[in-house]
Amino acid sequence: MPDISQVLSDTFLRTNALDPRESGSKTYSISQLAKEFDITTRAIRFYESEGLLSPEREGRNRLYSQRDHTRLKLILRGKRLGFSLDEIGELFELYDSSSTGELAQLSRVLEKIEERKQILKQQLEDIQLSLHELKEFERQCRQRLRQMRSNH
Amino acid sequence: MPDISQVLSDTFLRTNALDPRESGSKTYSISQLAKEFDITTRAIRFYESEGLLSPEREGRNRLYSQRDHTRLKLILRGKRLGFSLDEIGELFELYDSSSTGELAQLSRVLEKIEERKQILKQQLEDIQLSLHELKEFERQCRQRLRQMRSNH
DNA sequence: ATTGACGTTGACGTTAACGTCAATATAATA
DNA sequence: TATTATATTGACGTTAACGTCAACGTCAAT
């Protein structure tokens, strides 16, 4: 039975790729991640405090695994998709539990996805309409400008 | 010289259409507006406190003119376009002052529009990409579900 | 006379997603 | 050795856009 994370690799929720403590596995410091994703360290710690990340420790310091790296990427993608941090956490939980074979949870994930898809489609229409409106408004502004100039 | 509001009627900023105190001009109570636009009276009063509306008074009570009605419509449209209330207020000011012939202000409005258009275009791309990602994820979820069912 | 619908003005509360310190520790570098 | 870079925790601050009271006025209908 193949790991679900394999089936779903390179899609939205690829969250349990590698063992964190594997010897050769690459790790990151907090500022490395911050630089790479162009966010602040504060934000990263905040995500942890919200339960979205749980990096290992090397003494006091946080040590981020490849899995954490992927999770962070997913967090940011989720945000772009319009999910709140709470919803992202929910999706992580649902998805993790679905890898233990909980079919119902997977359906729940699908529902969430569908919900978000509807919202995005609505936004898409709104934006396209807005662009048209703005273009028309702009056109008339420009026309008005030409009139003002020629009357001068 | 035609009023700029005529030139631009039915577009984004059509804000000074009619005299508020004209006899036959239709008026609205606060709750009428609230109902029509499906917002709370609190919101409408808030917009006024932010300087976006300035209805007449009939005693203590607010009396909204057709102009106010149009303004409110524009406020909500502006919000859908992603403008903050501050920005919307700015646009109102710029636009109002441009009707006195301030050419520079009109250019400023155009800049704002252009800015927003760029942002909307970016969002459009983001959303289209997100929809693709979600579809792919969904497809693979469904495939996984079928596998789980057939193995049962 | 009282109920109910509608209006008013404060004033404080809320939420999300961090920002912005402060005080401290450790490690590498000049 | 002094500085600099990087890390930690903790705590309070911020912003936008209202929500949610409280306390009160006014008018029509029962």
Side-chain angles (χ1 to χ4, degrees):
Chain A
M1 184 165 152
D3 183 5
I4 195 161
S5 70
Q6 284 180 13
V7 175
L8 293 170
S9 66
D10 285 336
T11 68
F12 179 56
L13 283 168
R14 178 192 178 194
T15 166
N16 32 18
L18 288 172
D19 185 272
R21 300 178 204 172
E22 232 185 69
S23 51
S25 159
K26 194 180 178 186
T27 61
Y28 308 83
S29 77
I30 192 168
S31 51
Q32 276 175 348
L33 285 184
K35 214 169 266 180
E36 176 174 346
F37 291 107
D38 196 29
I39 55 181
T40 66
T41 60
R42 177 70 182 90
I44 298 176
R45 290 195 196 95
F46 180 70
Y47 297 151
E48 181 177 346
S49 79
E50 298 292 292
L52 300 181
L53 292 172
S54 36
E56 308 284 308
R57 294 294 177 125
E58 194 193 23
R60 302 180 92 216
N61 293 13
R62 291 168 173 83
L63 191 63
Y64 296 88
S65 68
Q66 192 55 48
R67 179 176 190 274
D68 295 320
H69 182 275
T70 305
R71 278 240 184 189
L72 183 48
K73 194 165 113 189
L74 292 174
I75 292 170
L76 298 179
R77 183 176 302 177
K79 286 191 48 168
R80 287 203 312 274
L81 289 170
F83 289 102
S84 72
L85 294 185
D86 273 5
E87 287 176 308
I88 292 171
E90 228 182 302
L91 283 175
F92 279 162
E93 278 180 38
L94 286 172
Y95 196 78
D96 287 353
S97 71
S98 84
S99 73
T100 72
E102 307 272 2
L103 192 133
Q105 315 287 22
L106 200 50
S107 303
R108 192 75 195 85
V109 174
L110 277 175
E111 279 174 37
K112 283 258 166 190
I113 301 276
E114 190 54 37
E115 244 177 70
R116 180 58 46 182
K117 267 175 63 184
Q118 289 311 316
I119 294 175
L120 285 176
K121 278 182 185 170
Q122 181 58 53
Q123 284 183 5
L124 200 71
E125 280 179 33
D126 277 2
I127 288 176
Q128 279 166 345
L129 211 139
S130 300
L131 278 175
H132 277 119
E133 283 181 7
L134 284 182
K135 269 180 198 167
E136 179 59 15
F137 180 47
E138 189 183 354
R139 194 183 64 73
Q140 300 191 347
C141 275
R142 293 200 186 287
Q143 187 183 326
R144 179 81 195 126
L145 274 178
R146 276 194 301 278
Q147 282 179 18
M148 289 169 91
R149 288 216 185 82
S150 66
N151 282 0
H152 180 61
Chain B
M1 185 163 153
D3 185 3
I4 196 162
S5 71
Q6 284 180 13
V7 175
L8 294 170
S9 65
D10 285 336
T11 66
F12 180 57
L13 282 167
R14 180 193 177 192
T15 166
N16 31 19
L18 286 172
D19 185 273
R21 300 176 205 175
E22 229 184 70
S23 50
S25 158
K26 194 180 180 187
T27 60
Y28 308 83
S29 77
I30 192 167
S31 52
Q32 277 174 348
L33 286 185
K35 213 169 266 179
E36 175 174 346
F37 291 108
D38 196 30
I39 55 181
T40 65
T41 59
R42 177 68 182 91
I44 297 178
R45 289 196 197 95
F46 180 69
Y47 298 151
E48 180 178 347
S49 79
E50 297 293 291
L52 300 181
L53 292 172
S54 37
E56 307 283 310
R57 297 291 177 132
E58 195 191 23
R60 300 181 94 217
N61 294 13
R62 292 166 174 84
L63 191 63
Y64 296 88
S65 67
Q66 193 55 46
R67 178 176 191 273
D68 295 320
H69 182 276
T70 305
R71 277 239 183 191
L72 183 49
K73 195 165 116 193
L74 292 174
I75 291 169
L76 299 178
R77 182 176 303 176
K79 285 190 48 165
R80 287 203 312 277
L81 290 171
F83 289 103
S84 72
L85 295 185
D86 272 8
E87 288 175 309
I88 293 172
E90 228 181 304
L91 283 176
F92 280 161
E93 280 182 37
L94 286 172
Y95 196 79
D96 286 353
S97 71
S98 84
S99 74
T100 72
E102 307 273 0
L103 192 135
Q105 315 287 23
L106 200 50
S107 304
R108 191 76 194 87
V109 173
L110 278 175
E111 279 175 37
K112 283 258 166 194
I113 302 275
E114 190 54 37
E115 243 177 73
R116 181 58 46 184
K117 267 175 65 184
Q118 288 313 315
I119 293 174
L120 285 175
K121 279 184 184 169
Q122 181 58 53
Q123 284 183 7
L124 199 71
E125 282 179 32
D126 277 1
I127 288 175
Q128 278 165 345
L129 210 138
S130 300
L131 278 174
H132 275 120
E133 283 180 8
L134 285 181
K135 271 180 195 165
E136 178 61 15
F137 180 48
E138 189 184 355
R139 196 183 63 73
Q140 300 192 344
C141 276
R142 292 199 188 288
Q143 186 181 329
R144 180 83 194 127
L145 275 177
R146 277 195 300 278
Q147 281 180 15
M148 287 167 91
R149 289 215 185 83
S150 65
N151 282 1
H152 181 60

